[in-house]
């Protein structure tokens, strides 16, 4: 079964307040710290833009496909979940993510990535500008989706240049 809701990022609405990072690290690890967050805000100084970077739960997920110990699986919502009992910390999933949305937990030496918080992503809940939203297919306007996807990919590509 796949997710019936989608995490959407609208970078043009992000102010860089980092509420999403705080909420994420508190939810998952009980601490405030971007290094524990599964979402990161990247500042594009040339464009004067803040860009939320988070796993988009790729259908054909390179992180999952590259894991040689099959430590990443798909849950009932379509989220790619890391099984830490199986993960050996090789970091291959971090390297192959095309969005750079898998991060390293500096304490464990293992990757961390968005797991959609069990179906209620706190980053979207606490995003006061609407830059991060968790939407059902009915809430997604196809034109808005196309524009958001284009802007998000453009912002991520330009940060690499």
């Amino acid at each position: 079964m796949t997710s019936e809701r989608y995490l959407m990022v609208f970078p043009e609405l992000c102010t860089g307040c980092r509420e999403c990072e705080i909420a994420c690290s508190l939810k998952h690890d009980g601490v405030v710290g971007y290094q524990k967050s599964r979402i990161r805000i990247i500042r594009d100084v040339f464009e004067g833009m803040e860009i939320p970077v988070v796993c988009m739960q790729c259908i054909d997920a390179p992180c999952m496909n590259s894991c040689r110990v099959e430590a990443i699986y798909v849950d009932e919502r379509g989220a790619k979940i890391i099984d830490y009992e199986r993960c050996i910390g090789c970091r291959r999933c971090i390297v192959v993510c095309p969005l750079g949305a898998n991060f390293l937990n500096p304490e464990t030496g293992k990757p961390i990535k968005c797991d959609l918080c069990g179906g209620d992503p706190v980053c979207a809940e606490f995003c006061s500008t609407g830059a991060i939203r968790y939407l059902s297919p009915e809430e997604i306007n196809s034109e808005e989706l196309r524009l958001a996807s284009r802007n998000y990919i453009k912002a991520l590509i330009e940060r690499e240049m």
Side-chain angles (χ1 to χ4, degrees), residues 59-79:
I59 293 171
D60 189 24
C63 61
M64 187 171 69
N65 296 335
S66 70
C67 184
R68 61 183 171 185
V69 295
E70 299 180 356
I72 300 176
Y73 64 94
V74 183
D75 75 0
E76 66 278 359
R77 293 171 309 281

Side-chain angles (χ1 to χ4, degrees), residues 24-25 28-31 33-40 82 84 87-91 93-94 101-114:
C24 180
S25 63
H28 290 283
D29 294 296
V31 296
Y34 84 94
Q35 291 182 329
K36 296 287 187 83
S37 177
R38 279 81 175 150
I39 185 169
R40 305 275 170 90
I82 298 173
Y84 288 103
C87 178
I88 59 173
C90 71
R91 305 176 188 177
C93 59
I94 295 172
N102 290 344
F103 309 104
L104 180 67
N105 182 327
E107 288 183 13
T108 66
K110 292 188 175 182
I112 53 176
K113 64 176 289 311
C114 176

Side-chain angles (χ1 to χ4, degrees), residues 2-8 10 133-145:
T2 60
S3 173
E4 293 191 27
R5 295 179 66 107
Y6 303 93
L7 197 62
M8 301 289 301
F10 301 86
R133 301 180 210 164
Y134 194 51
L135 303 172
S136 69
E138 296 78 29
E139 295 172 301
I140 299 172
N141 172 308
S142 61
E143 182 60 31
E144 183 181 44
L145 174 61

Side-chain angles (χ1 to χ4, degrees), residues 8-10 144-155:
M8 301 289 301
V9 175
F10 301 86
E144 183 181 44
L145 174 61
R146 189 173 49 192
L147 182 61
S149 298
R150 186 174 57 211
N151 287 344
Y152 187 53
I153 291 169
K154 180 181 173 200

Side-chain angles (χ1 to χ4, degrees), residues 7-10 14 18-26 28-29 33-42 51-56 100-103 112-117 121-127 131-133 152:
L7 197 62
M8 301 289 301
V9 175
F10 301 86
C14 182
R18 301 185 185 275
E19 289 175 356
C20 55
E21 290 179 347
I22 294 168
C24 180
S25 63
L26 277 172
H28 290 283
D29 294 296
Y34 84 94
Q35 291 182 329
K36 296 287 187 83
S37 177
R38 279 81 175 150
I39 185 169
R40 305 275 170 90
I41 304 301
I42 305 295
I51 307 166
V53 178
V54 64
C55 176
M56 300 310 297
N102 290 344
F103 309 104
I112 53 176
K113 64 176 289 311
C114 176
D115 60 3
L116 298 176
C117 297
V122 294
C123 58
E125 181 182 342
F126 281 87
C127 181
I132 305 164
R133 301 180 210 164
Y152 187 53

